[in-house]
Amino acid sequence: MIELPPSKSIGARYMVATYFAGTLPADPFFQDNEDLMVLQEALLEVYSDEEPIDYGDSPIDVGASGTALRFVTAVCASSQGADYVVTGTPRLMQRPMAPLLDLLKEAGAGVEALGENGTGPYRVKGGTLKGGSFSIRGDISSQFISALMLVAPSWENGMKLSFTTPLVSKPYIEMTAKLMEKFGIKTELTNETVEVPKARYIEPFNFKVEADWSSASFFYEACAINGEKLEIHDLVSPRVSLQGDSMTESLFTLLGVESHFNKEGATIQKQGDVRNDIVFNFKDYPDLVLPFAVACLCTNVHFRFEGVSNLRLKESDRLESLRSEALKLGFDVKIGDDFVEWNGLTIEREENPIIDPHDDHRVAMSFTMAALKFGEIRIEHPEVVEKSFIDFWNQIPKIGLQCEEIEGVMIIKNNLIH
């Protein structure tokens, strides 16, 4: 049975909620997800300080975790006496932060970009912020909005946030609202606004973080490619899940994958009809683009996906990563500002191609499953999967693949083909 890591999205929100509830775990809590471990360690640094400390010479380093960067920055800004420098990898420091930083400054926090042209690291001086009414674009990273929602109960007047453009990734914002409600904070969310009252977080009894639907998508991808029945432990039905990426279940029915849920988790198998020429807008589900796209390529399903412009701002430019690595496998994928498509056009496949994950965990995991079609796939820098799924390579044999790391390259083989 496949074992998934806990939901990174829920786990990150849980950590911030327990920070404000005064119940943040001191011992390692999410040992199979590097991003969540980084976030917990960063929050503990702030949480444990009874007196203001200048961390200018010893910054909080969140590595490559965009989630930790956004959430920790908002928490520091909302913590009385906080004075920190928040830093991370060079690429992370170049990723956009202005919408979050500008609003935190408007709310009364002291935030300074220490890099060139408004980039990181960021000096953050926090306090009890006044809050009030603000506006922000809705087509930015949903984590900016979620970060503000999570910290707003600590502000004197709470927060009313109006969206000046339509929301993208709305399921992630809805997840934040649902988790906050479990901690006793009732928000009011519409397509135009979100209102968060001043309130106190109270941790619910026996709260459990769900298994991660984003990670499950790679095994749905595997099932779509080879058709084998798979069992996934502890995966919660979309009917009750807090996660927007539970859309995986419905999405992969387009490739014939059907799901059955019980108290143990999910059983998935390719039994239904496969649709060709799929058109889908992924603006609310950006993390599902890569596994679904590779599944379509490996099953000869033509597609056009829209609402994907934000993929250029992830751990890698995921549109370009998909195009370049798919080309090595013989698929001529086309990309634009807000679309990616494949109409069946192929070129000669590279001999013994090596996939470059571009330092992106989801690129590595998505292309791993192509071994089910081609018999062998090689992935450079396989350690990148640790960002969200530390045990990934130990789960791969459960779907009929063998993997061995040689000189920094993971070789994944499907012995049924050879």
Side-chain angles (χ1 to χ4, degrees):
M1 185 172 282
I2 294 162
E3 300 287 344
L4 299 175
S7 165
K8 186 179 81 167
S9 298
I10 296 177
R13 288 155 177 79
Y14 170 80
M15 283 294 178
V16 176
T18 57
Y19 171 91
F20 285 107
T23 57
L24 177 66
D27 296 326
F29 200 73
F30 296 110
Q31 299 188 57
D32 43 7
N33 186 299
E34 189 175 78
D35 267 14
L36 292 180
M37 290 192 293
V38 167
L39 176 59
Q40 182 186 9
E41 291 170 3
L43 291 175
L44 282 171
E45 286 196 53
V46 186
Y47 186 73
S48 61
D49 291 334
E50 296 180 358
E51 300 294 334
I53 294 179
D54 183 349
Y55 271 81
D57 296 325
S58 182
I60 294 177
D61 191 339
V62 299
S65 176
T67 303
L69 174 64
R70 292 154 184 154
F71 285 10
V72 169
T73 298
V75 167
C76 286
S78 305
S79 297
Q80 186 65 41
D83 187 355
Y84 295 89
V85 170
V86 184
T87 190
T89 62
R91 175 170 174 83
L92 182 62
M93 292 298 96
Q94 294 298 315
R95 290 172 68 177
M97 280 283 283
L100 176 61
L101 302 181
D102 290 347
L103 197 145
L104 289 172
K105 286 189 283 189
E106 188 178 350
V111 183
E112 178 186 4
L114 303 180
E116 295 182 358
N117 301 317
T119 59
Y122 304 99
R123 186 65 174 265
V124 185
K125 296 183 179 181
T128 302
L129 305 187
K130 289 185 177 181
S133 297
F134 308 92
S135 61
I136 197 168
R137 293 180 63 91
D139 56 353
I140 56 171
S141 169
S142 64
Q143 287 187 355
F144 292 160
I145 298 169
S146 288
L148 293 166
M149 290 171 63
L150 287 164
V151 301
S154 70
W155 298 357
E156 289 181 358
N157 299 304
M159 178 185 71
K160 180 177 181 180
L161 190 60
S162 299
F163 308 124
T164 60
T165 58
L167 282 173
V168 298
S169 300
K170 186 180 178 183
Y172 288 95
I173 299 169
E174 292 173 334
M175 177 199 300
T176 304
K178 291 174 183 176
L179 182 134
M180 292 174 68
E181 185 172 0
K182 288 183 179 295
F183 277 76
I185 298 173
K186 179 67 174 176
T187 64
E188 297 292 337
L189 175 63
T190 70
N191 288 329
E192 290 76 34
T193 63
V194 61
E195 295 188 53
V196 182
K198 177 176 174 57
R200 181 186 175 193
Y201 280 95
I202 301 174
E203 183 171 1
F205 176 72
N206 205 27
F207 181 84
K208 182 180 180 181
V209 176
E210 300 173 21
D212 186 43
W213 263 103
S214 301
S215 298
S217 68
F218 303 111
F219 296 97
Y220 272 77
E221 173 193 356
C223 185
I225 295 171
N226 75 347
E228 294 295 321
K229 181 170 72 174
L230 298 176
E231 295 182 344
I232 307 177
H233 188 237
D234 271 356
L235 191 63
V236 177
S237 166
R239 292 190 299 274
V240 295
S241 175
L242 297 180
Q243 300 172 68
D245 279 353
S246 63
M247 179 65 181
T248 296
E249 185 263 348
S250 176
L251 181 65
F252 274 87
T253 62
L254 301 177
L255 297 181
V257 179
E258 297 184 357
S259 308
H260 301 279
F261 296 89
N262 58 36
K263 63 180 181 180
E264 300 296 327
T267 299
I268 64 175
Q269 190 168 13
K270 191 168 184 176
Q271 295 177 313
D273 295 331
V274 177
R275 186 185 302 180
N276 207 342
D277 294 317
I278 295 173
V279 177
F280 194 86
N281 191 307
F282 277 89
K283 70 180 181 65
D284 288 334
Y285 313 102
D287 285 347
L288 303 184
V289 172
L290 287 175
F292 194 66
V294 176
C296 288
L297 294 171
C298 290
T299 53
N300 198 35
V301 172
H302 303 178
F303 63 84
R304 179 180 173 89
F305 303 154
E306 299 173 345
V308 296
S309 60
N310 281 352
L311 289 180
R312 293 191 180 277
L313 304 174
K314 300 292 185 178
E315 284 80 352
S316 71
D317 177 342
R318 287 183 178 161
L319 295 183
E320 176 57 32
S321 296
L322 174 60
R323 188 203 65 80
S324 65
E325 303 316 302
L327 205 60
K328 295 176 182 179
L329 301 181
F331 302 110
D332 192 0
V333 173
K334 304 299 183 184
I335 60 175
D337 290 340
D338 198 31
F339 76 89
V340 55
E341 66 181 12
W342 182 63
N343 61 7
L345 188 62
T346 60
I347 63 170
E348 185 177 355
R349 178 173 175 257
E350 288 187 13
E351 185 175 353
N352 299 319
I354 298 179
I355 300 298
D356 178 1
H358 301 270
D359 202 28
D360 192 326
H361 55 135
R362 300 199 188 279
V363 174
M365 291 187 281
S366 296
F367 277 95
T368 290
M369 303 308 176
L372 293 166
K373 173 179 174 62
F374 293 106
E376 180 175 313
I377 288 289
R378 302 183 181 203
I379 308 284
E380 288 185 306
H381 306 296
E383 70 280 358
V384 298
V385 304
E386 296 176 6
K387 178 177 175 63
S388 63
F389 198 163
I390 287 176
D391 204 42
F392 177 76
W393 298 117
N394 291 327
Q395 302 301 314
I396 292 307
K398 298 178 182 180
I399 62 172
L401 296 174
Q402 291 185 345
C403 52
E404 180 182 11
E405 184 175 356
I406 300 177
E407 297 182 351
V409 175
M410 189 66 75
I411 303 173
I412 305 105
K413 294 183 178 181
N414 182 355
N415 288 333
L416 295 179
I417 291 181
H418 284 288

